Amino acid sequence: MIFTGCGSTYYLSLAAAGWFQALTGTPAQGVPSSELWLFPELYYREKERSLLVAVSRSGATSETLRAVSAFQARGRGEVLTIQCQPDSPLAQLGRVNLVIPSGRENSVVQTRSFSSMYIAALALGARWGGQRELFDQMPRLLDRGERLIGEVGPRARRWAAELEVDRVYFLGSGPRYGLACEASLKMKEMSLTHSEPLHFLELRHGPKSMVDPRSLVVGLLSDGARPSEEAVLREAAALGARLLVLGEDPSPSAGAITLSLRSDLPEPLRSVLYLPLLQLLAYERAMLKELDPDRPTNLESVVVLEDEGPPARPRARSSSA
Ligand code: F1P
């Protein structure tokens, strides 16, 4: 399985591929569409067919369309698409096309669309992996999400109010790394704040040098690796960082803001609930900085490339197979 997309939908692909492999046992990877288009030999498996899942809110991003067309031209396997625009070019390309019109939004920045397409990818993994119970629990996300936004939304303004924070590190491991990337992108796009996503333990391997009282470290805790992840957070706090910790029921720690999801949902589903909270954090910071969170500087909602011709690189050897 290859999941692909650009920007937000690439990060969605990273998270979706992680859960997909965990739920189904089928090897899955998340790849930026541009890389799949320009360097296919790094991702197509010799003599093996793949299922390509192309994800795009607009269904019109050039790199994603080109990656799909090149994959099909080489006969590498079937294509499934996930998007929010029924009449988009991408929605015509897949053997199966999942379209979620209710995920459409006016903002340049992806929020609702991301959650909607992410849920669709999780549903796909649950069905593919025969995880009936997980699939049946998906509607429970509705009331859990609403309750959480109602309870936590107002607090987001307080977390975001710390404007002396000038950089944010989002820590997430396993499939949560893709969500940490997305949260970091929201912080950049909406609030023009320097931010960086990291796998939890990677903080120790260099970035730690930059952690100080002007840093906010946001941890997306897992169930399985929680002791190791909490140890990293304690180290960051000892360096003076402010901490915001999200998890099902994180241990209270001095000086940290902890946010308990108390969802009683399995981990893959629960991961959806991180999204509105992280989006709110970026939104509130943008509002406090008097920025328009819907219209980031220098950004268009769809990236359409001029015709640059085919990639100049030699074709992958597997392409003639
Ligand atoms: C992908 C994307 C967005 C980003 C910006 C530019 O769009 O990179 O993630 O926020 O709006 O486009 P899409 O292929 O998902 O429509």
Side-chain angles (χ1 to χ4, degrees), residues 6-9 56-59 61 108 110 189 299-301 303:
C6 296
S8 290
T9 40
S56 169
R57 172 179 66 177
S58 61
T61 297
V108 169
Q110 299 200 11
E189 289 178 332
L299 198 64
E300 305 296 330
S301 63
V303 177

Side-chain angles (χ1 to χ4, degrees), residues 3 5-6 13 15 40 44 56 62 65 85 106 136 159 191 213 232 244-245 248 252 268 271 287 292 302 308-309:
F3 286 80
C6 296
S13 296
Y44 298 171
S56 169
S62 299
L65 294 173
Q85 287 290 348
N106 293 326
D136 289 345
W159 315 328
S191 79
V232 172
L244 176 57
V245 189
E248 181 68 356
S271 69
M287 297 308 279
D292 180 349
V302 187
E308 295 152 357

Side-chain angles (χ1 to χ4, degrees), residues 237-276:
L239 294 169
R242 293 147 206 251
L243 294 189
L244 176 57
V245 189
L246 282 68
E248 181 68 356
D249 203 5
S251 324
S253 76
I257 301 172
T258 51
L259 187 58
S260 306
L261 300 177
R262 288 199 203 95
S263 67
D264 199 23
L265 288 170
E267 235 185 341
L269 296 191
R270 196 196 307 153
S271 69
V272 175
L273 299 174
Y274 288 132
L275 291 166

Side-chain angles (χ1 to χ4, degrees), residues 38-303:
L38 297 171
F39 301 93
E41 65 277 15
L42 297 183
Y43 306 105
Y44 298 171
R45 282 166 181 260
E46 195 81 24
K47 297 195 188 86
E48 273 183 24
R49 282 165 61 82
S50 303
L51 174 62
L52 176 62
V53 180
V55 192
S56 169
R57 172 179 66 177
S58 61
T61 297
S62 299
E63 290 134 279
T64 304
L65 294 173
R66 290 180 191 194
V68 169
S69 300
F71 180 86
Q72 288 174 324
R74 290 173 173 160
R76 302 309 307 168
E78 299 293 352
V79 174
L80 186 149
T81 70
I82 303 177
Q83 66 256 283
C84 299
Q85 287 290 348
D87 48 359
S88 75
L90 188 68
Q92 322 304 319
L93 288 184
R95 170 88 173 265
V96 174
N97 300 295
L98 302 181
V99 184
I100 311 164
S102 57
R104 279 182 294 196
E105 59 208 344
N106 293 326
S107 174
V108 169
V109 176
Q110 299 200 11
T111 49
R112 174 211 320 223
S113 58
F114 187 98
S115 313
S116 308
M117 295 186 288
Y118 181 55
I119 289 171
L122 287 174
L124 193 68
R127 290 303 290 260
W128 190 293
Q131 309 260 357
R132 183 80 218 188
E133 206 186 318
L134 187 77
F135 187 80
D136 289 345
Q137 289 198 62
M138 296 194 89
R140 293 175 62 206
L141 277 170
L142 279 176
D143 65 285
R144 297 292 187 286
E146 272 174 19
R147 178 177 55 79
L148 205 60
I149 291 169
E151 278 175 11
V152 173
R155 287 167 60 197
R157 200 169 180 85
R158 191 158 54 81
W159 315 328
E162 300 188 351
L163 286 180
E164 61 277 23
V165 164
D166 65 5
R167 75 197 90 101
V168 186
Y169 297 95
F170 289 94
L171 309 185
S173 290
R176 281 157 300 273
Y177 176 68
L179 303 183
C181 292
E182 172 62 5
S184 175
L185 182 69
K186 294 308 84 158
M187 191 54 82
K188 287 187 183 108
E189 289 178 332
M190 288 193 201
S191 79
L192 308 185
T193 302
H194 179 77
S195 66
E196 203 177 328
L198 291 164
H199 301 278
F200 257 93
L201 274 61
E202 282 295 305
L203 187 79
R204 294 192 178 110
H205 296 275
K208 190 179 168 183
S209 322
M210 290 182 64
V211 172
D212 64 19
R214 281 172 297 131
S215 325
L216 170 64
V217 175
V218 182
L220 314 185
L221 291 180
S222 68
D223 288 349
R226 183 170 150 176
S228 306
E229 293 168 349
E230 288 184 333
V232 172
L233 293 174
R234 281 195 297 275
E235 281 176 38
L239 294 169
R242 293 147 206 251
L243 294 189
L244 176 57
V245 189
L246 282 68
E248 181 68 356
D249 203 5
S251 324
S253 76
I257 301 172
T258 51
L259 187 58
S260 306
L261 300 177
R262 288 199 203 95
S263 67
D264 199 23
L265 288 170
E267 235 185 341
L269 296 191
R270 196 196 307 153
S271 69
V272 175
L273 299 174
Y274 288 132
L275 291 166
L277 308 179
L278 296 167
Q279 292 161 351
L280 271 169
L281 182 64
Y283 168 82
E284 292 292 0
R285 189 169 164 93
M287 297 308 279
L288 285 165
K289 287 177 78 175
E290 297 184 357
L291 296 167
D292 180 349
D294 287 333
R295 315 242 156 266
T297 314
N298 306 334
L299 198 64
E300 305 296 330
S301 63
V302 187
V303 177

